């Protein structure tokens, strides 16, 4: 199995899981939606479907041999596959933790923690200030954009309600 194929499978599986399981369960859809307003699940579902499509496109490109030119086969008996599996399990645990933390801490704080963990899981340790800035400012900017420009509401946890975020 090549790295691009493995990567495509992971991307497609993750976004398909989000679209099929997480969005219907965690994004409530009201009984009445005015004709001019998009439903609350429109943007999360759009992102999840685009992500699934990109994962499937990566799989097709990997099968057709159009991956990166220097891609080598994954060693099945060495450390690289073990490291990749541990990182994939770590990412799955981080997303599960995110789902559990959102009701307690709210979306902004949970998204900051998830972003920071995902940066750590990529193995990036050299640019700590950049990682912190992205982990904190990225979710806040996305939250501000989606709330102000699109009117999308995000879950407020007990902590974010208490501190007024």
């Amino acid at each position: 199995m090549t790295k691009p194929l493995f990567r495509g499978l992971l991307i497609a599986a993750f976004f398909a899981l989000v679209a099929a399981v997480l969005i219907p369960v965690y994004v409530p859809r009201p009984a009445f939606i005015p004709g001019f307003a998009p439903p609350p699940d429109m943007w999360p579902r759009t992102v999840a479907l685009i992500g699934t499509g990109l994962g499937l496109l990566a799989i097709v490109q990997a099968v057709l041999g159009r991956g990166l030119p220097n891609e080598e086969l994954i060693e099945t008996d060495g450390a690289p596959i073990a490291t990749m599996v541990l990182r994939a399990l770590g990412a799955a645990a981080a997303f599960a933790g995110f789902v559990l933390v959102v009701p307690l801490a709210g979306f902004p704080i949970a998204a900051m923690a998830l972003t920071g963990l995902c940066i750590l899981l990529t193995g990036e340790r050299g640019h700590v200030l950049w990682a912190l800035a992205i982990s904190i400012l990225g979710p806040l900017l996305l939250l501000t954009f989606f709330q102000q420009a699109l009117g999308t509401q995000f879950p407020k946890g007990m902590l974010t309600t208490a501190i007024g975020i």
Side-chain angles (χ1 to χ4, degrees):
M1 179 183 292
T2 62
K3 283 183 183 179
L5 180 61
F6 184 70
R7 191 177 307 130
L9 286 170
L10 276 175
I11 291 169
F14 169 73
F15 282 108
L17 173 77
V18 169
V21 177
L22 296 180
I23 291 173
V25 171
Y26 290 103
V27 180
R29 192 174 176 104
F32 174 73
I33 300 172
F36 58 86
D41 66 343
M42 183 181 100
W43 289 111
R45 189 172 305 280
T46 301
V47 170
L49 293 176
I50 289 171
T52 303
L54 289 174
L56 293 173
L57 180 64
I59 291 169
V60 168
Q61 285 186 334
V63 169
L64 295 176
R66 295 186 181 158
L68 296 174
N70 309 12
E71 293 288 345
E72 69 277 355
L73 291 176
I74 297 174
E75 296 291 328
T76 56
D77 58 349
I81 189 72
T83 303
M84 289 177 63
V85 168
L86 286 175
R87 285 183 180 172
L89 291 174
F95 281 103
F98 173 78
V99 170
L100 296 173
V101 170
V102 166
L104 301 172
F107 179 81
I109 294 171
M112 289 175 196
L114 176 65
T115 305
L117 282 172
C118 286
I119 290 172
L120 283 174
L121 286 171
T122 63
E124 182 58 51
R125 306 279 191 288
H127 303 287
V128 176
L129 292 178
W130 277 105
L132 281 173
I134 290 170
S135 297
I136 294 170
L137 294 177
L140 286 179
L141 290 173
L142 283 172
L143 180 76
T144 302
F145 171 74
F146 276 96
Q147 281 184 337
Q148 300 300 320
L150 303 173
T152 304
Q153 296 299 314
F154 290 93
K156 293 184 184 240
M158 291 183 284
L159 181 62
T160 54
T161 303
I163 62 174
I165 293 181

